[in-house]
C-alpha cells in the first residue's frame, strides 16, 4: 500500500472484498464493502421510499428528512457513484443519512438505471426527470420550494453536472447549488493524475476504462451530457462545492472543471482531501477524514442553500 494513503483509509482498503469481474458480482461486492466502510449510518427523522415518474417507468427513490421540527428544509437530489454500473440505495443509505444531517437538508436519493443493461443516456434522463419532479413536488414532500440542489459522487457527479446544464438550457428548474464529489466527467482518461494514480490507489485506470465503455456504448464521447468536461460554456451554472481526493485518477479532471467554473464567474468552494483515494467519501465507519469531509461538505451545502 502506498505510504501516501491516509492510514485509516489504507487499512479499510486492505479489508475490502474482491469479487468476480462480471457485473452482478461487482454489484454484490460493492454492497458487501458498504458493511465494512460505511456502517449503518445515523438515524434520521424519516426515510421514506418513493416512486418517481421517469421516461422508462417509475424510478425508485428515498427521501431522507433530518428533522420534522422547524421550517421546511431545502431539498438535495443525490445521484450515487459506482461507474454508472453499480451502486444502490442499500450501498448509499449511510451516506445519505449522514449528509442529510450535516446539511440540515432533505436528501432525495435516486436509483437511476444502470449500465451496461441501460447505457447512456438512460442515467442522465432519469436524473433529469428526478430533478424536475423534485422541483415540482418539493412542497408536497415537506421541503422548501425554491431551495433545490443537486449532488453526486464519481459517476453521480457526472450526472449532477449534466443536470445543471440541462436546467440552464431549459430555463429551470432553478438550482441553488451543486455538490460534485470527485466527478467522472472526461472519458479521455489522459490526465497527469491518471498516469500517477491509475494503479494502486483504489480506482484502477483499467476498471475506469471498462466503466466508461459500458456506460457510453455507441454514444458520442463528445456529448456534454455524457462527458461534462466537454462543456465549453460554464456560465450561469449554480454555485459549486467540489470535493477532490488527492490520490485519485479523477483528480485532475475535477480540478479543471472547478477552474472552468471559476473562469465563468461561477462561485466555487473547492476541497482537496490529502491522503484520500477515490471512493473514500463512503468510508464513514472507518475514516475520520471521510467523516470530516462529509460534515464540511454538508455544512457548506447547507450554507449555500440558506443564502
Amino acid at each position: 500500500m502506498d505510504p501516501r494513503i491516509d492510514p485509516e483509509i489504507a487499512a479499510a482498503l486492505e479489508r475490502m472484498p474482491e469479487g468476480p469481474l462480471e457485473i452482478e458480482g461487482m454489484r454484490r461486492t460493492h454492497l458487501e464493502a458498504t458493511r465494512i466502510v460505511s456502517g449503518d449510518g445515523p438515524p434520521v427523522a424519516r426515510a421514506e421510499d418513493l416512486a418517481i415518474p421517469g421516461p422508462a417507468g417509475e424510478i425508485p427513490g428515498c427521501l431522507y428528512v433530518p428533522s420534522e421540527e422547524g421550517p421546511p428544509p431545502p431539498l438535495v437530489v443525490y445521484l450515487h457513484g459506482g461507474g454508472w454500473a453499480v451502486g444502490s440505495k442499500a450501498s448509499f443509505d449511510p451516506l445519505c443519512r449522514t449528509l442529510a444531517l450535516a446539511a440540515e437538508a432533505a436528501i432525495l436519493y435516486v436509483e437511476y438505471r444502470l449500465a451496461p443493461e441501460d447505457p447512456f443516456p438512460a442515467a442522465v434522463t432519469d436524473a433529469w426527470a428526478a430533478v424536475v419532479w423534485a422541483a415540482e413536488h418539493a412542497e408536497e414532500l415537506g421541503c422548501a420550494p425554491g431551495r433545490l440542489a443537486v449532488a453526486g459522487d464519481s459517476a453521480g457527479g457526472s450526472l449532477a453536472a449534466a443536470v445543471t446544464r440541462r436546467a440552464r438550457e431549459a430555463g429551470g428548474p432553478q438550482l441553488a447549488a451543486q455538490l460534485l464529489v470527485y466527478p467522472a466527467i472526461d472519458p479521455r482518461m489522459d490526465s497527469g493524475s491518471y498516469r500517477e494514480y491509475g494503479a494502486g490507489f483504489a480506482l484502477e485506470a483499467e476498471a475506469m476504462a471498462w466503466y466508461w465503455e459500458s456506460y457510453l456504448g455507441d454514444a458520442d464521447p463528445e456529448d456534454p451530457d455524457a462527458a461534462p468536461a466537454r462543456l465549453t460554456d460554464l456560465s450561469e451554472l449554480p454555485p459549486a462545492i467540489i470535493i477532490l481526493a488527492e490520490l485519485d485518477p479523477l483528480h485532475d479532471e475535477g480540478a479543471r472543471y472547478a477552474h472552468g467554473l471559476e473562469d465563468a464567474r461561477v462561485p466555487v468552494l473547492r476541497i482537496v482531501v490529502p491522503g484520500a483515494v477515490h471512493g473514500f467519501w463512503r468510508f464513514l465507519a472507518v475514516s475520520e477524514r471521510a467523516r470530516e469531509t462529509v460534515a464540511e461538505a454538508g455544512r457548506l451545502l447547507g450554507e449555500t442553500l440558506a443564502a
Side-chain angles (χ1 to χ4, degrees):
M1 192 71 65
D2 192 285
R4 289 173 289 179
I5 301 176
D6 174 85
E8 287 186 328
I9 293 175
L13 293 174
E14 295 281 7
R15 297 171 57 202
M16 295 286 268
E18 294 186 7
L21 294 178
E22 50 84 21
I23 190 61
E24 290 305 324
M26 293 167 67
R27 289 168 181 164
R28 287 193 301 270
T29 300
H30 190 265
L31 181 56
E32 290 168 10
T34 303
R35 302 185 182 102
I36 297 171
V37 300
S38 298
D40 295 329
V44 293
R46 176 161 48 103
E48 177 185 355
D49 289 332
L50 301 170
I52 303 166
E58 291 184 343
I59 305 166
C62 186
L63 183 70
Y64 296 87
V65 180
S67 174
E68 300 284 15
E69 300 177 357
L75 179 58
V76 180
V77 175
Y78 194 86
L79 304 163
H80 68 81
W84 308 277
V86 304
S88 64
K89 175 195 168 185
S91 55
F92 280 86
D93 177 87
L95 184 279
C96 289
R97 291 171 177 271
T98 305
L99 186 61
L101 293 170
E104 297 183 352
I107 303 294
L108 177 59
Y109 167 85
V110 178
E111 189 112 298
Y112 56 84
R113 286 171 290 165
L114 297 176
E117 297 92 337
D118 291 291
F120 177 84
V124 176
T125 56
D126 283 0
W128 174 242
V131 168
V132 172
W133 182 85
E136 293 173 348
H137 293 82
E139 194 167 5
E140 179 184 323
L141 295 171
C143 298
R147 296 174 63 198
L148 177 66
V150 63
D153 65 290
S154 193
S158 170
L159 300 176
V163 162
T164 65
R165 183 189 73 86
R166 285 199 173 195
R168 182 191 66 185
E169 298 302 311
Q174 187 71 32
L175 296 172
Q178 55 178 318
L179 169 62
L180 310 179
V181 182
Y182 40 66
I185 55 175
D186 194 344
R188 288 174 294 191
M189 297 176 52
D190 60 356
S191 67
S193 57
Y194 260 104
R195 291 188 289 274
E196 187 166 2
Y197 308 123
F201 292 89
L203 175 62
E204 303 287 315
E206 182 180 2
M208 197 64 214
W210 182 90
Y211 285 127
W212 272 117
E213 181 180 357
S214 298
Y215 175 54
L216 290 176
D218 297 327
D220 180 3
E222 300 288 329
D223 188 324
D225 268 354
R230 299 293 200 270
L231 279 172
T232 56
D233 179 10
L234 297 176
S235 63
E236 299 182 16
L237 293 175
I241 301 158
I242 297 182
I243 311 294
L244 304 175
E246 178 193 13
L247 312 173
D248 182 359
L250 274 56
H251 175 277
D252 287 1
E253 62 202 69
R256 283 198 300 265
Y257 196 71
H259 282 305
L261 289 168
E262 290 167 339
D263 289 344
R265 302 185 181 277
V266 174
V268 176
L269 298 169
R270 185 180 351 178
I271 298 173
V272 178
V273 184
V277 299
H278 196 85
F280 88 99
W281 177 247
R282 293 199 307 136
F283 284 25
L284 296 166
V286 295
S287 167
E288 182 63 24
R289 193 151 291 180
R291 291 189 289 272
E292 290 174 351
T293 303
V294 175
E296 178 67 1
R299 183 185 68 80
L300 294 172
L301 182 58
E303 289 177 356
T304 304
L305 285 165

